[in-house]
Amino acid sequence: NAGVMQNPRHLVRRRGQEARLRCSPMKGHSHVYWYRQLPEEGLKFMVYLQKENIIDESGMPKERFSAEFPKEGPSILRIQQVVRGDSAAYFCASSPEGGSGNTIYFGEGSWLTVV
Amino acid sequence: AQKVTQAQTEISVVEKEDVTLDCVYETRDTTYYLFWYKQPPSGELVFLIRRNSFDEQNEISGRYSWNFQKSTSSFNFTITASQVVDSAVYFCALRNVVTGGGNKLTFGTGTQLKVEL
């Protein structure tokens, strides 16, 4: 049983470049969440998606960040024109449905370093 | 608004000692879920336990136990006879049950546990 799969695990980008982080949910899960962990901080919610729909993006920065979860393929978190402050660990999580009682399982994270 | 407080930033213990990690939460909801996750040095987040607000029974799983007290809004986590492999950052999290907003986890800032020989 594969868990939540994220890639790449580590990504280095120069300021101004684009970063794309991918997430494949656990088998049977149709709900995906992205969280960001800044150095020395806890995880902060960014966005919640179902297939082809953004349900809640209240934690997403207004500019440069976008997320999608297409009908086919992984969910993608895109960060355009990265800045040093975007350096963080980005965690994807999934659950079988949106019910609040379900456990959310996390992937291993993608560590973005902006140089 | 939801809030989770883990007042202990870092705890160091010697192997075989018992250790309790504190978690205090705030929510206006009567129905909610509480979680603990472990983040070892390798970085992944490992699910440990989920507890709903209507179930105040304490739970034990091997060397791990959880004490949920609704009266004090606390969900503390105890590791008995700690081992070096328990060294990690532990996060407490809260998930509310509200239409349109019931799927976010609000995390505490984590407690770094160091278990030394």
Side-chain angles (χ1 to χ4, degrees), chain A residues 81-95:
Chain A
Q81 299 175 329
V82 296
V83 301
R84 289 225 170 102
D86 297 332
S87 296
Y90 292 84
F91 285 91
C92 174
S94 71
S95 67

Side-chain angles (χ1 to χ4, degrees), chain B residues 24 69 74:
Chain B
V24 174
Q69 296 211 344
S74 65

Side-chain angles (χ1 to χ4, degrees), chain B residues 34-55:
Chain B
L34 295 162
F35 300 78
W36 276 94
Y37 289 87
K38 173 183 179 180
Q39 187 175 38
S42 49
E44 72 271 24
L45 276 169
V46 178
F47 164 76
L48 295 178
I49 190 171
R50 180 190 79 207
R51 176 51 51 90
N52 76 55
S53 53
F54 293 109
D55 182 2

Side-chain angles (χ1 to χ4, degrees), chain A residues 9 33 35 37 40-43 45 48 56 58 91 95 97-108 111, chain B residues 33 35 37 39 42-45 47 50 89 91 95-98 100-110:
Chain A
R9 287 295 310 277
Y33 314 81
Y35 286 77
Q37 184 179 28
E40 310 298 326
E41 293 188 18
L43 284 84
F45 169 81
Y48 161 43
D56 183 350
S58 57
F91 285 91
S95 67
E97 60 179 77
S100 300
N102 286 310
T103 296
I104 298 177
Y105 293 94
F106 284 83
E108 294 185 327
W111 268 256
Chain B
Y33 294 84
F35 300 78
Y37 289 87
Q39 187 175 38
S42 49
E44 72 271 24
L45 276 169
F47 164 76
R50 180 190 79 207
V89 180
F91 290 99
R95 191 180 189 191
N96 61 339
V97 181
V98 175
N103 296 293
K104 297 178 206 177
L105 281 170
T106 300
F107 281 85
T109 50

Side-chain angles (χ1 to χ4, degrees), chain A:
Chain A
N1 253 348
V4 179
M5 305 299 291
Q6 289 188 248
N7 70 83
R9 287 295 310 277
H10 298 276
L11 181 64
V12 179
R13 283 289 177 265
R14 295 186 185 280
R15 280 177 295 171
Q17 290 185 319
E18 178 180 285
R20 282 197 182 203
L21 309 176
R22 294 173 189 77
C23 169
S24 296
M26 283 180 74
K27 189 175 181 180
H29 288 192
S30 57
H31 296 246
V32 165
Y33 314 81
W34 286 94
Y35 286 77
R36 177 165 66 173
Q37 184 179 28
L38 293 167
E40 310 298 326
E41 293 188 18
L43 284 84
K44 303 285 188 206
F45 169 81
M46 297 181 76
V47 63
Y48 161 43
L49 311 106
Q50 296 176 22
K51 284 284 187 182
E52 299 184 282
N53 284 308
I54 296 174
I55 306 302
D56 183 350
E57 56 181 346
S58 57
M60 288 279 270
K62 298 298 179 196
E63 297 175 349
R64 303 187 297 107
F65 284 72
S66 62
E68 62 175 6
F69 188 18
K71 189 176 179 181
E72 302 290 339
S75 174
I76 295 176
L77 179 67
R78 181 200 287 183
I79 312 171
Q80 296 177 300
Q81 299 175 329
V82 296
V83 301
R84 289 225 170 102
D86 297 332
S87 296
Y90 292 84
F91 285 91
C92 174
S94 71
S95 67
E97 60 179 77
S100 300
N102 286 310
T103 296
I104 298 177
Y105 293 94
F106 284 83
E108 294 185 327
S110 290
W111 268 256
L112 171 65
T113 302
V114 180
V115 297

Side-chain angles (χ1 to χ4, degrees), chain B:
Chain B
Q2 283 69 239
K3 185 178 179 182
V4 176
T5 301
Q6 294 180 255
Q8 304 149 307
T9 305
E10 185 172 318
I11 301 175
S12 290
V13 298
V14 176
E15 203 174 37
K16 296 184 185 175
E17 284 185 3
D18 298 346
V19 59
T20 295
L21 310 181
D22 298 332
C23 173
V24 174
Y25 61 91
E26 295 175 30
T27 180
R28 294 179 187 168
D29 299 318
T30 55
T31 302
Y32 50 87
Y33 294 84
L34 295 162
F35 300 78
W36 276 94
Y37 289 87
K38 173 183 179 180
Q39 187 175 38
S42 49
E44 72 271 24
L45 276 169
V46 178
F47 164 76
L48 295 178
I49 190 171
R50 180 190 79 207
R51 176 51 51 90
N52 76 55
S53 53
F54 293 109
D55 182 2
E56 289 193 68
Q57 241 184 341
N58 290 331
E59 182 157 339
I60 298 174
S61 175
R63 296 184 297 107
Y64 295 170
S65 62
W66 289 269
N67 183 354
F68 176 30
Q69 296 211 344
K70 212 166 177 177
S71 59
T72 56
S73 297
S74 65
F75 187 42
N76 296 337
F77 172 31
T78 297
I79 301 175
T80 303
S82 59
Q83 300 175 3
V84 172
V85 294
D86 295 327
S87 296
V89 180
Y90 290 85
F91 290 99
C92 180
L94 167 70
R95 191 180 189 191
N96 61 339
V97 181
V98 175
T99 302
N103 296 293
K104 297 178 206 177
L105 281 170
T106 300
F107 281 85
T109 50
T111 297
Q112 169 86 58
L113 173 64
K114 294 184 179 178
V115 182
E116 298 164 337
L117 291 170

